[in-house]
Amino acid sequence: MTRLSRRDLLLGGTGVLGAFTLGGLVSAKAQAADHSLTIASLDHGILPETVTQGMMSFAADGPPPVLRLKRGQKTSIDVSNALNEASVVHWHGLRIANAMDGVPYLTQHPIETGQSFRYEFTPPDAGTFWYHPHCNTLEQMSRGLTGMMIVEEDEDPGFDEDLPLNIRDFRLGGDGQFIAFYKARNAARGGTLGTVSTVNWKVAPTFDLAAGSLVRLRLAVTDITRVGTYEITGGEAQVIAIDSNPLPRPVPAKDLILSPGQRADIALRVPDREEEPVTLRLKRRNGDRDLATFRPRGQSLRRELRELKPLQPNPVPEADLANAEVMEFVFGWSPEGDAPQPSICGTLGYTFWSINRKAWPGDLPGPFDPLATLKLGKSYILRLRNESPNAHPIHLHGVSFRLLQSNKRKLPPLVTDTALLLEEETLDVALVADNPGDWAFHCHVIEHQKTGLTGFLRIEA
Ligand code: C2O
Ligand code: CU
Ligand code: CU
C-alpha cells in the first residue's frame, strides 16, 4: 500500500488515501447526505437544577442522535465541525473502508473548525454500534461526544420496540460542572471513573413500555473508563448479541461484563403488571446502582420471547486456525519514555503505557511504523498478553475477531471488535485480515489510549 506522507495528508495529496481528504470536502456540497451531524458545544442539564456548561454533542441542542442504517445499504454522513478545535469521527465496530474510519492522520486529516467531511460506507454487519471522535478523544468524549449507531438486520426479528441505551458517566461536581477529566495517577493504573452515571444523558431515567411486550434493549457502554457488571432485574431478559454479533444461544441477562466500547442486545419480555418494574442495574462492590427503570404500562400484549426470530450471524470470515500465523502483542507499562508530542488532537502530556514496549507518540502526521503487517486474506492468531495488573479493553478497527482461549478463564467463542483483557491475562483471538489499510489498535480506556497504549496494524496485499 502507498504510505501517506505528511505532505499527502496536509495537501490532500496524490495518494489513494489522500484523495479522500479533498473528495470528502468537495462531494459534501454536491448533494444532501443521508445523515448529518454537527459537532458543537452546548450547555445542558444533567444533574437536577443545574446546567452543565461546555458539553459537546453531535447535535446543537441535545444528546447525540441515534443513527439508524440498514445492513448492506450505502449511506452518507456529513460531519460538520462547529467546535473551536479539530475533531474527527470514528464508527466503532464497523468493518468499512479504511479511508472512512476516522482516525487522525492514519486515515484522514482531522476535521478542523468550520470544516466538514462526508463519510460514505456500506455497513456489512447488522447490530448495535456507536460513534465517537478520535481527536482530543479524552476531553471530547468526556464532554459528551459518544453516540449510538444501529444497523438494522435484513429481516425484522419481531420486537414491539427498540430502545437504545447509551450508558456512560460524566465527571461532574455537585454544582453540575465538569471537574478534571482524569487524574494522572489513575491514568497510570485502572483509569479515572466518572462521578455521575447516565443513560441517554439522563440520571436514572424511567421508560414506559407496553406491558407484556417484547423490547430490544440495546446497551452501549460508551464510557471512557468503567468496566462494569450489568444485570436486568425483573421480567424475562436474555442477551441475544454482544458487540453487534448474535450469540449462538441466548443467555440470561445476569452478570454481564461490559467494558468501554462494548455493546449488548437484550431481548426483554416486559412483565404483565404495572407494579412489576424492570431495572438495568450496575453491580458494584460498594453498592449496586439502578441506571434505568422500565415500567410496564397498559393491558398486557401477552407476547413471548420465543416468538422472536433468531438473529442471523454477520458475514465475518472464519479464520483458518490450522494455517494461522501467531503474532504476539504485549500490553504493559511504558519504558522510560518521552511525553507524547503536542498535536492538534491533543495530548495528556504523559506516557505510561506501551504495546510491544513502544508507546504511541501521539496523534501526529507520522508516518509511523505499524506494530505488525498482515497479509490481505490470511488468517492470524493475535496473542494478546497483558503484563500489567490492570484490565484493558483492547479494540481493533476494521476487522472483527473471534475469542479463542485465555490462560485465566473459559471463554465463550464470541466474535467481537473489543475484548476485555484481564490483569495479567493472555488471550488468543483469531481473525482473517480481509480489510486492507492501517487499522488503529488500542485500549478503550481512553486515558490508557492517550498515554501510550495505542498502535496500528497494517493489512496489505
Ligand atoms: Cu471506539 Cu479507536 O475506537
Ligand atoms: Cu473502533
Ligand atoms: Cu487500558
Side-chain angles (χ1 to χ4, degrees), residues 90-93 101 132 134 395-397 442 444:
H90 169 63
W91 319 98
H92 183 121
D101 194 46
H132 62 81
H134 230 280
H395 173 51
L396 176 60
H397 291 210
H442 61 85
H444 227 291

Side-chain angles (χ1 to χ4, degrees), residues 353 391-394 443-445 448-449 453:
W353 299 96
H392 302 284
I394 300 299
C443 178
H444 227 291
V445 170
H448 294 173
Q449 176 191 355
L453 225 164

Side-chain angles (χ1 to χ4, degrees), residues 198-220:
T198 65
V199 171
N200 299 347
W201 280 27
K202 295 195 172 74
V203 178
T206 296
F207 299 90
D208 285 347
L209 300 175
S213 66
L214 295 175
V215 178
R216 184 176 188 163
L217 302 177
R218 295 181 185 261
L219 281 56

